[in-house]
Amino acid sequence: MATLLVLGGGSAIGAAVAERFARRGWTVILAGRGKERMTALARALSGRTGCTAFGTPLDVLDTDSHAAFWKSLPCRPEAVLCAVGLLSDQQAARRDAAQADRLLRTNFNGPAALLELAANEFEQRGSGLIIGISSVAGDRGRGSNYLYGSAKAGFTALLSGLRARLWRSGVRVLTVKPGLVDTPMIAHRTLPRWLLATPAKVADDIMKAVDRGGDILYTPHWWRAVMWGVRILPECWFCRINV
Ligand SMILES: NC(=O)c1ccc[n+]([C@@H]2O[C@H](COP(=O)([O-])OP(=O)(O)OC[C@H]3O[C@@H](n4cnc5c(N)ncnc54)[C@H](OP(=O)(O)O)[C@@H]3O)[C@@H](O)[C@H]2O)c1
């Protein structure tokens, strides 16, 4: 049976996607911070869906441990979902280089290093699926959010490059750009409910994109039009909008 590896196994969106793969009979490996937590999440997933699930510890910032992590997986994955992300207070990060560094490395360097390991193995095997959760925030740098946004822009570019490198080898890469999703990541923000998608909605959209062989998914779909509008605004106008 095929195996899905979830990087960021504690993520709300990651959990919703993992559940859908599990219900299709996939084995799931949840990788994230806290060995016991990952094991408990895997046990609960297995209890709900009847799938085989494993939990394994992973800190994406500890890049020295990545090769050993990859080698030690309980079974070889056919699909990898990267759901790791950090949205910290940009005001604080602007004043504190260590916080900014953590934000950039969590959203870009760590995931990039891990997906490279997946890409190399999938390329050699001649099959595989990489799903990277980027963000609409990566489509254009906003004054209030450009540190997170620039890391996600880098991640989007990385996924695009991996797609271009790997398609001849039969490896697919899906870039997911959610808008605002009701998860712990944005729980500190007060936002109108209608703007928020649920993790379940995002996961359903991801499964549809997986099934139809999509490459770039905006979810919910209307963010594609919104971001088109945001991208074409001239810089001199964009600067005047306080977003
Ligand atoms: N929610 C939104 O509005 C939104 C919008 C656009 C894109 N996204 C993206 O969607 C993805 C999933 O996020 P989410 O909304 O599901 O939020 P979430 O529940 O907060 O998930 C983020 C995950 O990243 C993990 N993580 C952070 N630093 C890590 C590290 N050093 N090592 C390993 N794991 C680490 C967290 O682990 P812990 O559980 O240990 O903290 C958490 O499980 C992220 O890439 C996020 O950027 C979210």
Side-chain angles (χ1 to χ4, degrees), residues 7-15 31-34 37-38 41 57-62 66 82-87 102 105-107 111 114 132-137 148 152 155 176-187 189 191 196-197 199 202 219:
L7 307 172
S11 137
I13 297 174
R33 289 185 291 195
R37 184 169 157 239
M38 288 304 125
L41 287 172
L58 168 71
D59 184 340
V60 296
L61 295 177
D62 183 10
H66 286 181
C82 182
V84 173
L86 174 67
L87 180 65
R102 190 178 182 79
R105 288 194 299 122
T106 303
N107 289 301
L114 284 158
I133 308 190
S134 188
S135 172
V136 295
Y148 174 78
K152 286 298 193 181
F155 192 53
V176 182
K177 296 183 181 185
L180 291 160
V181 191
D182 192 7
T183 72
M185 178 171 278
I186 58 164
R189 294 181 63 188
L191 295 159
L196 301 179
V202 171
T219 168

Side-chain angles (χ1 to χ4, degrees), residues 88-96 99 143-144 147:
S88 44
D89 175 6
Q90 173 162 297
Q91 297 261 20
R94 272 169 22 197
R95 287 188 297 270
D96 179 348
Q99 265 201 51
S144 61
L147 284 174

Side-chain angles (χ1 to χ4, degrees), residues 17-237:
V17 177
E19 179 129 359
R20 280 152 181 75
F21 271 90
R23 290 195 187 282
R24 291 182 177 195
W26 285 57
T27 295
V28 174
I29 307 171
L30 299 175
R33 289 185 291 195
K35 186 177 189 316
E36 277 157 31
R37 184 169 157 239
M38 288 304 125
T39 306
L41 287 172
R43 203 173 297 131
L45 177 65
S46 175
R48 283 195 307 280
T49 63
C51 77
T52 304
F54 303 94
T56 186
L58 168 71
D59 184 340
V60 296
L61 295 177
D62 183 10
T63 44
D64 288 347
S65 71
H66 286 181
F69 158 79
W70 189 258
K71 237 194 240 163
S72 71
L73 292 173
C75 41
R76 303 322 302 164
E78 278 77 33
V80 175
L81 166 71
C82 182
V84 173
L86 174 67
L87 180 65
S88 44
D89 175 6
Q90 173 162 297
Q91 297 261 20
R94 272 169 22 197
R95 287 188 297 270
D96 179 348
Q99 265 201 51
D101 182 61
R102 190 178 182 79
L103 182 66
L104 296 170
R105 288 194 299 122
T106 303
N107 289 301
F108 182 74
N109 301 51
L114 284 158
L115 291 190
E116 209 61 59
L117 293 171
N120 293 343
E121 181 167 318
F122 290 175
E123 187 174 41
Q124 208 165 27
R125 191 190 299 154
S127 67
L129 169 65
I130 293 173
I131 308 171
I133 308 190
S134 188
S135 172
V136 295
D139 277 16
R140 190 159 192 179
R142 291 188 289 123
S144 61
N145 196 23
Y146 59 81
L147 284 174
Y148 174 78
S150 55
K152 286 298 193 181
F155 192 53
T156 298
L158 175 97
L159 293 167
S160 164
L162 285 176
R163 186 179 305 111
R165 166 190 153 193
L166 295 170
W167 71 274
R168 281 184 197 80
S169 319
V171 181
R172 283 186 46 213
V173 178
L174 172 63
T175 305
V176 182
K177 296 183 181 185
L180 291 160
V181 191
D182 192 7
T183 72
M185 178 171 278
I186 58 164
H188 60 286
R189 294 181 63 188
T190 314
L191 295 159
R193 301 295 307 169
W194 64 265
L195 252 185
L196 301 179
T198 61
K201 161 71 180 153
V202 171
D204 286 340
D205 283 353
I206 290 174
M207 298 312 286
K208 280 184 211 150
V210 165
D211 290 342
R212 68 164 186 268
D215 46 24
I216 297 174
L217 170 72
Y218 283 84
T219 168
H221 66 91
W222 47 264
W223 278 101
R224 183 181 287 275
V226 172
M227 295 318 295
W228 176 81
V230 168
R231 280 196 313 274
I232 63 162
L233 271 184
E235 201 71 4
C236 59
W237 293 1

